Amino acid sequence: MFKFKKLLMLSALIGLLSIIMMGCSGESSKSSADGKKDETSKVSIAALNNYPPLMFKKEGKLVGFEHDILEAIAKEENLDIEYKEMKFDGFIPGLQSNQVDVASSLLIREERKEVVDFADVFLKSGLVLVVAKDSPIQSLEDLKGKTIVATQGSTTLEKAKELAAKYGGEAKPLKETDALYMDVENGNSDALVLNSPTVDYRLKVDGDNVKFRIVGEHLTVDEHAFAVKKGNTELVEKINSGLKTIKENGEFNKIHAEWFGE
């Protein structure tokens, strides 16, 4: 009789534990399902702090067209963004060494495709040649014997070297975008090569006090896209998904108009 009661008590205890475990299991699944929906992924972004209007610092905070696009994508894809200010020539090494997850301000190039993966294009532009307002340089042919400055590690330097080789000039690398303008303004270089949105923004901001001008037409037709470490398809898909969403809901056009006009 005692053994029977003990057996009943054991069975009841097992049943009670089963019910508790089922309840916990159900709660865990719900939490897991909800957690998956609300899960936030941390993403570090390699960012320039002096590349207006794409990415630059204003009143101590990073702002710009690319910055706002990234923030909009992050909101749609539930990404927690951390910006890491770096020199441009450290972007791709930063991706490869896992210092950062995404590189901003990159132009798509075939040689870059070999070492990083690009998300979808979000902006088209081109490189331009810029000189001081009173410079005697009126065409590319006037670059003979001239010094052309550009950003170290970027496609602007590649183009500067190409122009220097073609027209008998010299290409000079500098790390900071602001330093390029200063170098030309001080007469240390005769011209600079930069991306057109950056130059257009600089000329717009300078207004009546403009010190520079563009020579001729665009030197290239370029496509901007965010880059990730080779093989990180999951992050590429998130960026593309978020970009597609903000284009469809009108947020992209709103941001574009704010920085470039209608």
mmCIF file with all atom_site columns, all heavy atoms in Angstrom, residues 43 79 101-102 228 232-240:
data_model
loop_
_atom_site.group_PDB
_atom_site.id
_atom_site.type_symbol
_atom_site.label_atom_id
_atom_site.label_alt_id
_atom_site.label_comp_id
_atom_site.label_asym_id
_atom_site.label_entity_id
_atom_site.label_seq_id
_atom_site.pdbx_PDB_ins_code
_atom_site.Cartn_x
_atom_site.Cartn_y
_atom_site.Cartn_z
_atom_site.occupancy
_atom_site.B_iso_or_equiv
_atom_site.pdbx_formal_charge
_atom_site.auth_seq_id
_atom_site.auth_comp_id
_atom_site.auth_asym_id
_atom_site.auth_atom_id
_atom_site.pdbx_PDB_model_num
ATOM 1   N N   . VAL A 1 43  ? 26.267 46.578 -35.979 1.00 0.00 ? 43  VAL A N   1
ATOM 2   C CA  . VAL A 1 43  ? 27.032 46.717 -37.209 1.00 0.00 ? 43  VAL A CA  1
ATOM 3   C C   . VAL A 1 43  ? 27.949 47.935 -37.087 1.00 0.00 ? 43  VAL A C   1
ATOM 4   O O   . VAL A 1 43  ? 27.487 49.040 -36.794 1.00 0.00 ? 43  VAL A O   1
ATOM 5   C CB  . VAL A 1 43  ? 26.107 46.897 -38.437 1.00 0.00 ? 43  VAL A CB  1
ATOM 6   C CG1 . VAL A 1 43  ? 26.930 47.118 -39.690 1.00 0.00 ? 43  VAL A CG1 1
ATOM 7   C CG2 . VAL A 1 43  ? 25.207 45.688 -38.607 1.00 0.00 ? 43  VAL A CG2 1
ATOM 8   N N   . LEU A 1 79  ? 19.074 47.360 -37.176 1.00 0.00 ? 79  LEU A N   1
ATOM 9   C CA  . LEU A 1 79  ? 20.518 47.292 -36.984 1.00 0.00 ? 79  LEU A CA  1
ATOM 10  C C   . LEU A 1 79  ? 20.957 48.360 -35.987 1.00 0.00 ? 79  LEU A C   1
ATOM 11  O O   . LEU A 1 79  ? 20.464 49.487 -36.011 1.00 0.00 ? 79  LEU A O   1
ATOM 12  C CB  . LEU A 1 79  ? 21.250 47.519 -38.313 1.00 0.00 ? 79  LEU A CB  1
ATOM 13  C CG  . LEU A 1 79  ? 20.900 46.578 -39.464 1.00 0.00 ? 79  LEU A CG  1
ATOM 14  C CD1 . LEU A 1 79  ? 21.642 46.985 -40.726 1.00 0.00 ? 79  LEU A CD1 1
ATOM 15  C CD2 . LEU A 1 79  ? 21.200 45.131 -39.109 1.00 0.00 ? 79  LEU A CD2 1
ATOM 16  N N   . ASP A 1 101 ? 32.370 46.246 -40.056 1.00 0.00 ? 101 ASP A N   1
ATOM 17  C CA  . ASP A 1 101 ? 31.497 45.360 -40.843 1.00 0.00 ? 101 ASP A CA  1
ATOM 18  C C   . ASP A 1 101 ? 31.142 45.943 -42.206 1.00 0.00 ? 101 ASP A C   1
ATOM 19  O O   . ASP A 1 101 ? 30.912 45.203 -43.157 1.00 0.00 ? 101 ASP A O   1
ATOM 20  C CB  . ASP A 1 101 ? 30.203 45.097 -40.071 1.00 0.00 ? 101 ASP A CB  1
ATOM 21  C CG  . ASP A 1 101 ? 30.466 44.462 -38.718 1.00 0.00 ? 101 ASP A CG  1
ATOM 22  O OD1 . ASP A 1 101 ? 31.141 43.422 -38.681 1.00 0.00 ? 101 ASP A OD1 1
ATOM 23  O OD2 . ASP A 1 101 ? 29.996 45.004 -37.695 1.00 0.00 ? 101 ASP A OD2 1
ATOM 24  N N   . VAL A 1 102 ? 31.068 47.277 -42.271 1.00 0.00 ? 102 VAL A N   1
ATOM 25  C CA  . VAL A 1 102 ? 30.652 47.954 -43.501 1.00 0.00 ? 102 VAL A CA  1
ATOM 26  C C   . VAL A 1 102 ? 31.584 49.124 -43.779 1.00 0.00 ? 102 VAL A C   1
ATOM 27  O O   . VAL A 1 102 ? 31.988 49.839 -42.854 1.00 0.00 ? 102 VAL A O   1
ATOM 28  C CB  . VAL A 1 102 ? 29.211 48.487 -43.381 1.00 0.00 ? 102 VAL A CB  1
ATOM 29  C CG1 . VAL A 1 102 ? 28.806 49.249 -44.646 1.00 0.00 ? 102 VAL A CG1 1
ATOM 30  C CG2 . VAL A 1 102 ? 28.233 47.356 -43.112 1.00 0.00 ? 102 VAL A CG2 1
ATOM 31  N N   . VAL A 1 228 ? 31.129 45.208 -47.809 1.00 0.00 ? 228 VAL A N   1
ATOM 32  C CA  . VAL A 1 228 ? 31.299 44.348 -46.627 1.00 0.00 ? 228 VAL A CA  1
ATOM 33  C C   . VAL A 1 228 ? 32.427 43.362 -46.912 1.00 0.00 ? 228 VAL A C   1
ATOM 34  O O   . VAL A 1 228 ? 32.915 43.260 -48.038 1.00 0.00 ? 228 VAL A O   1
ATOM 35  C CB  . VAL A 1 228 ? 30.004 43.573 -46.298 1.00 0.00 ? 228 VAL A CB  1
ATOM 36  C CG1 . VAL A 1 228 ? 28.834 44.521 -46.115 1.00 0.00 ? 228 VAL A CG1 1
ATOM 37  C CG2 . VAL A 1 228 ? 29.687 42.539 -47.390 1.00 0.00 ? 228 VAL A CG2 1
ATOM 38  N N   . ASN A 1 232 ? 30.267 37.916 -46.815 1.00 0.00 ? 232 ASN A N   1
ATOM 39  C CA  . ASN A 1 232 ? 29.243 38.252 -45.820 1.00 0.00 ? 232 ASN A CA  1
ATOM 40  C C   . ASN A 1 232 ? 27.912 38.551 -46.524 1.00 0.00 ? 232 ASN A C   1
ATOM 41  O O   . ASN A 1 232 ? 27.419 39.686 -46.543 1.00 0.00 ? 232 ASN A O   1
ATOM 42  C CB  . ASN A 1 232 ? 29.688 39.456 -44.983 1.00 0.00 ? 232 ASN A CB  1
ATOM 43  C CG  . ASN A 1 232 ? 28.836 39.656 -43.736 1.00 0.00 ? 232 ASN A CG  1
ATOM 44  O OD1 . ASN A 1 232 ? 27.773 39.051 -43.585 1.00 0.00 ? 232 ASN A OD1 1
ATOM 45  N ND2 . ASN A 1 232 ? 29.284 40.516 -42.846 1.00 0.00 ? 232 ASN A ND2 1
ATOM 46  N N   . THR A 1 233 ? 27.321 37.509 -47.096 1.00 0.00 ? 233 THR A N   1
ATOM 47  C CA  . THR A 1 233 ? 26.095 37.663 -47.885 1.00 0.00 ? 233 THR A CA  1
ATOM 48  C C   . THR A 1 233 ? 24.903 38.077 -47.020 1.00 0.00 ? 233 THR A C   1
ATOM 49  O O   . THR A 1 233 ? 24.010 38.784 -47.495 1.00 0.00 ? 233 THR A O   1
ATOM 50  C CB  . THR A 1 233 ? 25.756 36.355 -48.615 1.00 0.00 ? 233 THR A CB  1
ATOM 51  O OG1 . THR A 1 233 ? 25.672 35.285 -47.657 1.00 0.00 ? 233 THR A OG1 1
ATOM 52  C CG2 . THR A 1 233 ? 26.823 36.018 -49.642 1.00 0.00 ? 233 THR A CG2 1
ATOM 53  N N   . GLU A 1 234 ? 24.897 37.653 -45.769 1.00 0.00 ? 234 GLU A N   1
ATOM 54  C CA  . GLU A 1 234 ? 23.777 37.985 -44.879 1.00 0.00 ? 234 GLU A CA  1
ATOM 55  C C   . GLU A 1 234 ? 23.670 39.493 -44.678 1.00 0.00 ? 234 GLU A C   1
ATOM 56  O O   . GLU A 1 234 ? 22.579 40.059 -44.746 1.00 0.00 ? 234 GLU A O   1
ATOM 57  C CB  . GLU A 1 234 ? 23.954 37.292 -43.530 1.00 0.00 ? 234 GLU A CB  1
ATOM 58  C CG  . GLU A 1 234 ? 22.800 37.564 -42.559 1.00 0.00 ? 234 GLU A CG  1
ATOM 59  C CD  . GLU A 1 234 ? 22.980 36.868 -41.224 1.00 0.00 ? 234 GLU A CD  1
ATOM 60  O OE1 . GLU A 1 234 ? 23.927 36.086 -41.081 1.00 0.00 ? 234 GLU A OE1 1
ATOM 61  O OE2 . GLU A 1 234 ? 22.165 37.124 -40.309 1.00 0.00 ? 234 GLU A OE2 1
ATOM 62  N N   . LEU A 1 235 ? 24.799 40.152 -44.481 1.00 0.00 ? 235 LEU A N   1
ATOM 63  C CA  . LEU A 1 235 ? 24.782 41.603 -44.274 1.00 0.00 ? 235 LEU A CA  1
ATOM 64  C C   . LEU A 1 235 ? 24.451 42.338 -45.565 1.00 0.00 ? 235 LEU A C   1
ATOM 65  O O   . LEU A 1 235 ? 23.733 43.341 -45.553 1.00 0.00 ? 235 LEU A O   1
ATOM 66  C CB  . LEU A 1 235 ? 26.135 42.075 -43.729 1.00 0.00 ? 235 LEU A CB  1
ATOM 67  C CG  . LEU A 1 235 ? 26.219 43.542 -43.314 1.00 0.00 ? 235 LEU A CG  1
ATOM 68  C CD1 . LEU A 1 235 ? 25.095 43.926 -42.371 1.00 0.00 ? 235 LEU A CD1 1
ATOM 69  C CD2 . LEU A 1 235 ? 27.582 43.825 -42.665 1.00 0.00 ? 235 LEU A CD2 1
ATOM 70  N N   . VAL A 1 236 ? 24.944 41.828 -46.687 1.00 0.00 ? 236 VAL A N   1
ATOM 71  C CA  . VAL A 1 236 ? 24.596 42.420 -47.990 1.00 0.00 ? 236 VAL A CA  1
ATOM 72  C C   . VAL A 1 236 ? 23.086 42.373 -48.202 1.00 0.00 ? 236 VAL A C   1
ATOM 73  O O   . VAL A 1 236 ? 22.470 43.351 -48.643 1.00 0.00 ? 236 VAL A O   1
ATOM 74  C CB  . VAL A 1 236 ? 25.319 41.683 -49.145 1.00 0.00 ? 236 VAL A CB  1
ATOM 75  C CG1 . VAL A 1 236 ? 24.730 42.095 -50.493 1.00 0.00 ? 236 VAL A CG1 1
ATOM 76  C CG2 . VAL A 1 236 ? 26.802 41.986 -49.124 1.00 0.00 ? 236 VAL A CG2 1
ATOM 77  N N   . GLU A 1 237 ? 22.483 41.240 -47.864 1.00 0.00 ? 237 GLU A N   1
ATOM 78  C CA  . GLU A 1 237 ? 21.034 41.078 -48.029 1.00 0.00 ? 237 GLU A CA  1
ATOM 79  C C   . GLU A 1 237 ? 20.264 42.047 -47.138 1.00 0.00 ? 237 GLU A C   1
ATOM 80  O O   . GLU A 1 237 ? 19.239 42.605 -47.547 1.00 0.00 ? 237 GLU A O   1
ATOM 81  C CB  . GLU A 1 237 ? 20.634 39.633 -47.727 1.00 0.00 ? 237 GLU A CB  1
ATOM 82  C CG  . GLU A 1 237 ? 21.092 38.646 -48.795 1.00 0.00 ? 237 GLU A CG  1
ATOM 83  C CD  . GLU A 1 237 ? 20.871 37.196 -48.389 1.00 0.00 ? 237 GLU A CD  1
ATOM 84  O OE1 . GLU A 1 237 ? 20.342 36.975 -47.273 1.00 0.00 ? 237 GLU A OE1 1
ATOM 85  O OE2 . GLU A 1 237 ? 21.223 36.300 -49.179 1.00 0.00 ? 237 GLU A OE2 1
ATOM 86  N N   . LYS A 1 238 ? 20.738 42.261 -45.913 1.00 0.00 ? 238 LYS A N   1
ATOM 87  C CA  . LYS A 1 238 ? 20.083 43.202 -45.011 1.00 0.00 ? 238 LYS A CA  1
ATOM 88  C C   . LYS A 1 238 ? 20.160 44.628 -45.555 1.00 0.00 ? 238 LYS A C   1
ATOM 89  O O   . LYS A 1 238 ? 19.178 45.376 -45.534 1.00 0.00 ? 238 LYS A O   1
ATOM 90  C CB  . LYS A 1 238 ? 20.723 43.144 -43.617 1.00 0.00 ? 238 LYS A CB  1
ATOM 91  C CG  . LYS A 1 238 ? 20.300 41.952 -42.772 1.00 0.00 ? 238 LYS A CG  1
ATOM 92  C CD  . LYS A 1 238 ? 20.955 41.998 -41.408 1.00 0.00 ? 238 LYS A CD  1
ATOM 93  C CE  . LYS A 1 238 ? 20.480 40.841 -40.520 1.00 0.00 ? 238 LYS A CE  1
ATOM 94  N NZ  . LYS A 1 238 ? 19.071 40.992 -40.137 1.00 0.00 ? 238 LYS A NZ  1
ATOM 95  N N   . ILE A 1 239 ? 21.337 45.014 -46.040 1.00 0.00 ? 239 ILE A N   1
ATOM 96  C CA  . ILE A 1 239 ? 21.510 46.355 -46.596 1.00 0.00 ? 239 ILE A CA  1
ATOM 97  C C   . ILE A 1 239 ? 20.620 46.536 -47.819 1.00 0.00 ? 239 ILE A C   1
ATOM 98  O O   . ILE A 1 239 ? 19.924 47.553 -47.964 1.00 0.00 ? 239 ILE A O   1
ATOM 99  C CB  . ILE A 1 239 ? 22.983 46.602 -46.971 1.00 0.00 ? 239 ILE A CB  1
ATOM 100 C CG1 . ILE A 1 239 ? 23.852 46.626 -45.706 1.00 0.00 ? 239 ILE A CG1 1
ATOM 101 C CG2 . ILE A 1 239 ? 23.132 47.914 -47.739 1.00 0.00 ? 239 ILE A CG2 1
ATOM 102 C CD1 . ILE A 1 239 ? 25.340 46.670 -45.987 1.00 0.00 ? 239 ILE A CD1 1
ATOM 103 N N   . ASN A 1 240 ? 20.616 45.551 -48.702 1.00 0.00 ? 240 ASN A N   1
ATOM 104 C CA  . ASN A 1 240 ? 19.796 45.637 -49.916 1.00 0.00 ? 240 ASN A CA  1
ATOM 105 C C   . ASN A 1 240 ? 18.309 45.685 -49.593 1.00 0.00 ? 240 ASN A C   1
ATOM 106 O O   . ASN A 1 240 ? 17.545 46.419 -50.219 1.00 0.00 ? 240 ASN A O   1
ATOM 107 C CB  . ASN A 1 240 ? 20.092 44.456 -50.840 1.00 0.00 ? 240 ASN A CB  1
ATOM 108 C CG  . ASN A 1 240 ? 21.447 44.563 -51.504 1.00 0.00 ? 240 ASN A CG  1
ATOM 109 O OD1 . ASN A 1 240 ? 22.054 45.639 -51.527 1.00 0.00 ? 240 ASN A OD1 1
ATOM 110 N ND2 . ASN A 1 240 ? 21.947 43.465 -52.039 1.00 0.00 ? 240 ASN A ND2 1
#
